[in-house]
Amino acid sequence: MKKLKINIWSIVLMTFLSGLTNAQTPVKQTLITNAKIFNGVDEKLIDGNILIENNLIKEIGPSVQASSNAEIIDAAGKTVIPGLTDVHWHMTMAEVPQVTILTGDVYEIAARAVPTAERTLMRGFTTVRDIGGNSFAIKKLIDSGVILGPRMLVAGPPISQTGGHYDYRLPNVTPSDDPIDYWGRNSFFVVADGVPEVQRRAREIFKMGASQLKIAAGGGVASIFDPLDVRQYSLDEMKAIVDVAKSYNSYVAAHIFTDEAVQMAVEAGIKTIEHGMLIHRETLEMMKEHGGVYG
């Protein structure tokens, strides 16, 4: 019983100290005044103020006020909108010349990605779906406040077949020479073939912390070996990757352009088609019937 009393008093003391600490934490307020506000729902703009507490919007309206020590920003009649979401972004690729993939290294890519993150946020994108590349550390540093940038939903290294859209090995490098190339070892691109191997790579990417998966299901712009109109991965391979994503309550996005490739991807259960500019009405109807979210 004596030991129980000590534990109870310890809990009471910890609760008191926690409450005291919280009580002493100052609330930082920012008031944006004289703004035309689009709330993301109504077509008509609201004339008024925006109250922000600790970097979160608390209230909007014509008569919203703040404490005397709040920071005041006069919008001078300009329009304020909610943060934008970019659903197809590459934080570690967007400002990297293609030659870097052939002759550079991860340090150059990381150095270029840090200012890219801040510039992305300053363009008004408060959330991005990062759909390929090793952006896990960038996301970690943004979330912890070390660098500036948007919220990130990271896909991690996109998965490609041998000779596919994300196979950047030089022509004279064969899998027997280098089963996992430099970019694969650094989780920037992953080359995998066959059902067991694509399953393993997909699970590894979720282990890294991915929100969703990205594959190359066709050729495309910036490819080295594959034309735009080729289909990549078999139906069984795509189904295997989709099954792994479902087991993590997630989904698969596919880099893809043409009718045949898109139709196979939809049949496999892939939920987002990245690009798809060369498809026709029949494929669009099929996508609609399957009820996925395509873009």
Side-chain angles (χ1 to χ4, degrees), residues 198-199 202-203 206 213 239-248:
V198 298
Q199 286 176 320
R203 289 167 181 151
F206 277 119
L213 296 178
K239 283 183 175 180
I241 298 169
V242 168
D243 184 63
V244 172
K246 285 182 177 179
S247 74
Y248 280 85

Side-chain angles (χ1 to χ4, degrees), residues 12 24 35 131 135 148 162 209 211 239 253 282:
V12 171
Q24 292 174 344
I131 207 68
S135 301
L148 292 176
T162 294
S211 298
K239 283 183 175 180
E282 178 187 359

Side-chain angles (χ1 to χ4, degrees), residues 6 30 55 165 186 209 264 282 294:
I6 292 173
T30 302
N55 295 322
H165 180 59
N186 287 281
M264 180 176 285
E282 178 187 359
Y294 304 101

Side-chain angles (χ1 to χ4, degrees), residues 111-125:
R112 290 179 181 272
V114 172
T116 298
E118 182 173 351
R119 283 192 284 266
T120 302
L121 179 63
M122 292 299 104
R123 287 193 294 268
F125 292 98

Side-chain angles (χ1 to χ4, degrees), residues 258-264 266-267 276 278-290 294:
T258 59
D259 283 302
E260 182 187 4
V262 170
Q263 289 174 16
M264 180 176 285
V266 172
E267 183 181 351
L278 302 179
I279 60 176
H280 295 86
R281 185 176 184 85
E282 178 187 359
T283 302
L284 290 170
E285 293 290 346
M286 179 183 179
M287 293 162 67
K288 181 179 178 181
E289 289 173 8
H290 281 72
Y294 304 101

Side-chain angles (χ1 to χ4, degrees), residues 41-98:
V41 178
D42 301 317
E43 292 184 10
K44 187 176 180 180
L45 299 179
I46 301 169
D47 292 321
N49 304 335
I50 305 171
L51 178 62
I52 302 168
E53 287 192 356
N54 294 333
N55 295 322
L56 293 176
I57 295 175
K58 183 178 182 182
E59 190 177 359
I60 65 173
S63 58
V64 174
Q65 300 296 320
S67 61
S68 58
N69 61 347
E71 178 185 5
I72 307 296
I73 299 174
D74 185 359
K78 293 183 174 64
T79 301
V80 179
I81 67 172
L84 300 172
T85 298
D86 191 330
V87 297
H88 187 114
W89 187 239
H90 298 279
M91 196 70 79
T92 52
M93 297 186 200
E95 298 187 23
V96 173
Q98 189 176 13

Side-chain angles (χ1 to χ4, degrees), residues 133-200:
N134 187 344
S135 301
F136 296 112
I138 295 293
K139 171 182 166 55
K140 175 183 175 182
L141 294 175
I142 291 171
D143 290 347
S144 59
V146 176
I147 63 175
L148 292 176
R151 301 178 192 89
M152 296 180 64
L153 302 171
V154 177
I159 308 172
S160 172
Q161 70 177 37
T162 294
H165 180 59
Y166 295 108
D167 185 351
Y168 278 87
R169 295 172 297 187
L170 296 176
N172 59 343
V173 176
T174 63
S176 58
D177 294 330
D178 192 0
I180 303 179
D181 68 337
Y182 176 81
W183 296 115
R185 291 193 297 273
N186 287 281
S187 303
F188 201 74
F189 302 129
V190 169
V191 176
D193 297 289
V195 169
E197 190 171 337
V198 298
Q199 286 176 320
R200 180 157 62 100

